[in-house]
């Protein structure tokens, strides 16, 4: 079962602007988190990046890392420990713990420092374990939380309708799943100080491979940015896409906005991504979620007068799930490259390796990482192409001990705000030095 094939998100793809629910929502681009607005003579281009999209491994402050507070339970469902969540880095100071979309009148809440404590990498809720109405022990405190059985599917996840759409690798269980805001509303946003950290997992600056794009950016010439991919490339499921607080724009809007801020030129964005699509659909077209022609047909008709300067091709999640086959996947990506280059031989291209699927999602989590890795083979046959493997970045973050449900909006294969920022940060790493 391909999750995106039945998710309603595919209808939000923007045919001519790529806004996809982000630009018109008052999207948060980090201005309220100490974003650097630049203006100093000694400021580098990278210094002008918004704090929310700077590499998570740069500096000594993590801005608005999403966490899910989870309480342990015993076999009878009694809560036996205070809810807690693992932070990506060891914190030296918790700056703020925010909760968004509290209500229409109060969309944001900053929790008092007395509502939590921090020790040994974990943020822990303050409160006490008491008797609940059903006779089971529950936790009472100020922070929202779920128990471990809600995460595993043994019990209902609060605010998420029960369904049997996503079988778990644990026999007989189904994972909580929603394309709405139910899971996001249980997530908290934590800003904290930490010792400076470095990692080699972030994509390298691709000034040589993307030389034509970098030249245009530095000269502040108009740039046409083209996005073509699956539901992740439609913007699913940032808070801006879902039209809820804090209104973070989809990753491609963050890329556009930050490139404009860093270099000063005008960027025009076009997005023809469709939810549920594989690379087969990218070449041939399809009717999944939306009737749309394949790429070659688009350039012969609707896009006949369109000449992109930089194209981002983002497939792989559904290709792995639906067993398209890696060789076929590579052929499809090459076909898309050749089609774009036929339209504009000077177009630079970024091949986007997908984030990972939830490893507990039996039918969705396949070998997505192999599909992303295969993009390096595709790129070898061309000039002016860079690979940005978001999956490697995603894995590095999960390896710190964070759980999938706190880094996803649908708990299966769509980003939340934190992974939306991860996408933008990875792409900007290739374009901003």
């Amino acid at each position: 079962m391909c999750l995106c094939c039945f998710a309603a998100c595919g209808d939000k793809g923007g045919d001519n602007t790529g806004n996809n629910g982000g630009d018109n929502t008052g999207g948060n681009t980090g201005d309220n988190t100490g974003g650097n607005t630049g203006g100093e003579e000694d400021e580098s281009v990278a210094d002008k990046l918004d704090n929310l999209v700077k590499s998570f491994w740069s500096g000594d402050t993590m801005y608005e890392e999403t966490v899910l507070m989870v309480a342990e339970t015993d076999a009878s469902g009694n809560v036996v420990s205070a809810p807690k969540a693992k932070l990506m880095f060891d914190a030296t100071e918790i700056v703020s713990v925010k909760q968004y979309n509290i209500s229409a009148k109060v969309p944001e809440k900053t929790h008092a420092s007395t509502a939590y404590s921090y020790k040994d990498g974990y943020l822990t809720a303050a409160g006490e374990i008491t008797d609940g109405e059903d006779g089971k022990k529950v936790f009472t405190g100020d922070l929202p939380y779920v128990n471990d059985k809600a995460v595993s599917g043994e019990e209902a996840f609060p605010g998420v309708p029960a369904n049997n759409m996503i079988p778990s690798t644990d026999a007989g269980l189904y994972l909580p799943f929603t394309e709405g805001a139910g899971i996001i509303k249980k997530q908290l946003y934590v800003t904290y100080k930490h010792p400076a950290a470095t990692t080699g997992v972030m994509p390298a600056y691709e000034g040589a491979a993307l030389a034509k794009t970098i030249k245009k950016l530095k000269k502040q010439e108009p740039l046409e940015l083209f996005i073509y991919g699956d539901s992740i490339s439609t913007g699913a499921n940032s808070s801006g896409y879902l039209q809820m607080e804090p209104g973070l724009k989809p990753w491609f809007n963050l890329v556009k906005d930050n490139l404009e801020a860093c270099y000063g030129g005008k960027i025009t964005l076009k997005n023809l991504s469709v939810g549920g699509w594989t690379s087969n659909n990218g070449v041939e077209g399809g009717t999944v979620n939306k009737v749309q022609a394949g790429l070659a047909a688009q350039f012969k008709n609707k896009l006949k007068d369109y000449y992109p300067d930089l194209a981002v091709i983002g497939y792989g999640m559904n290709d792995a799930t639906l067993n398209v086959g890696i060789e076929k996947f590579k052929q499809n990506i090459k076909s898309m490259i050749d089609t774009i280059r036929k339209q504009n031989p000077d177009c630079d291209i970024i091949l986007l390796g997908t984030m990972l699927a939830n490893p507990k999602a039996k039918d969705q989590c396949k070998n997505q990482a192999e599909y992303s890795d295969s993009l390096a083979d595709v790129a070898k046959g061309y000039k002016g192409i860079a690979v940005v493997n978001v999956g490697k970045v995603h894995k590095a973050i999960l390896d710190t001990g964070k759980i999938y449900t706190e880094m996803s909006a649908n708990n299966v294969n769509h980003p939340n705000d934190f992974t939306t920022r991860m996408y933008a940060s990875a792409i900007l790493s290739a374009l901003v030095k």
Side-chain angles (χ1 to χ4, degrees), residues 168-380:
S168 171
T169 53
D170 294 328
L173 296 181
Y174 294 89
L175 297 180
F177 159 74
T178 178
E179 290 294 351
I183 292 174
I184 291 178
K185 287 183 178 180
K186 289 295 183 182
Q187 295 169 353
L188 295 169
Y189 293 64
V190 184
T191 297
Y192 60 95
K193 299 286 187 179
H194 61 82
T198 59
T199 179
V201 75
M202 288 298 289
Y205 175 65
E206 296 285 359
L210 304 176
K212 295 183 180 69
T213 294
I214 299 301
K215 182 179 179 181
K216 277 182 169 287
L217 289 169
K218 287 183 175 180
K219 293 177 70 175
Q220 298 185 346
E221 295 178 353
L223 185 95
E224 293 284 348
L225 175 60
F226 179 55
I227 312 295
Y228 196 59
D230 55 27
S231 58
I232 296 170
S233 293
T234 70
N237 277 355
S238 71
S239 57
Y241 178 95
L242 294 172
Q243 299 184 28
M244 62 173 286
E245 297 294 333
L248 186 83
K249 296 179 182 181
W251 61 260
F252 43 83
N253 289 117
L254 296 178
V255 169
K256 172 186 178 294
D257 291 350
N258 278 273
L259 288 178
E260 289 181 332
C262 286
Y263 291 103
K266 174 65 177 176
I267 296 175
T268 302
L269 176 66
K270 185 182 293 293
N271 191 331
L272 290 184
S273 302
V274 181
W277 271 25
T278 67
S279 62
N280 284 340
N281 298 118
V283 173
E284 301 168 3
T287 60
V288 176
N289 283 328
K290 181 179 185 179
V291 178
Q292 181 169 290
L295 191 58
Q298 292 276 356
F299 278 116
K300 287 180 180 178
N301 297 289
K302 188 175 182 179
L303 301 181
K304 65 181 180 179
D305 297 320
Y306 177 64
Y307 304 94
D309 297 304
L310 174 63
V312 181
I313 300 175
Y315 290 94
M317 178 64 77
N318 299 329
D319 290 83
T321 295
L322 295 175
N323 301 310
V324 167
I326 289 181
E327 290 306 313
K328 178 62 174 173
F329 171 74
K330 290 162 64 175
Q331 290 174 15
N332 289 336
I333 300 299
K334 289 178 181 178
S335 174
M336 290 180 233
I337 294 171
D338 294 341
T339 297
I340 293 170
R341 287 281 171 81
K342 184 178 180 180
Q343 184 74 3
N344 181 11
D346 291 329
C347 182
D348 285 336
I349 296 173
I350 291 176
L351 303 181
L352 194 58
T354 185
M355 63 181 281
L356 304 178
N358 190 332
K360 301 295 289 185
K362 179 181 177 182
D363 295 335
Q364 279 74 33
C365 184
K366 300 290 180 67
N367 55 335
Q368 276 85 1
E370 292 181 43
Y371 282 76
S372 296
D373 291 343
S374 75
L375 293 173
D377 293 334
V378 175
K380 288 178 183 177

Side-chain angles (χ1 to χ4, degrees), residues 59-133:
D60 63 356
T61 304
M62 170 61 80
Y63 295 94
E64 301 209 349
E65 177 182 329
T66 54
V67 302
L68 180 67
M69 306 296 286
V70 180
E72 295 179 2
T73 59
D74 61 20
S76 299
N78 295 296
V79 171
V80 296
S81 68
K84 63 181 181 180
K86 176 73 167 59
L87 297 183
M88 186 173 159
F89 299 112
D90 290 329
T92 56
E93 176 190 353
I94 304 297
V95 177
S96 67
V97 176
K98 292 184 179 180
Q99 182 180 356
Y100 288 107
N101 207 42
I102 303 300
S103 69
K105 293 183 179 180
V106 187
E108 173 187 322
K109 178 179 181 179
T110 298
H111 289 278
S113 59
T114 53
Y116 54 84
S117 61
Y118 174 81
K119 184 179 181 182
D120 297 333
Y122 285 89
L123 189 75
T124 302
E128 59 181 348
I129 297 173
T130 60
D131 292 326
E133 294 180 359

Side-chain angles (χ1 to χ4, degrees), residues 9-32:
C9 64
D11 292 332
K12 290 205 176 185
D15 283 348
N16 57 359
T17 64
N19 291 340
N20 299 310
D23 277 351
N24 60 351
T25 58
N28 179 353
T29 58
D31 288 344
N32 63 344

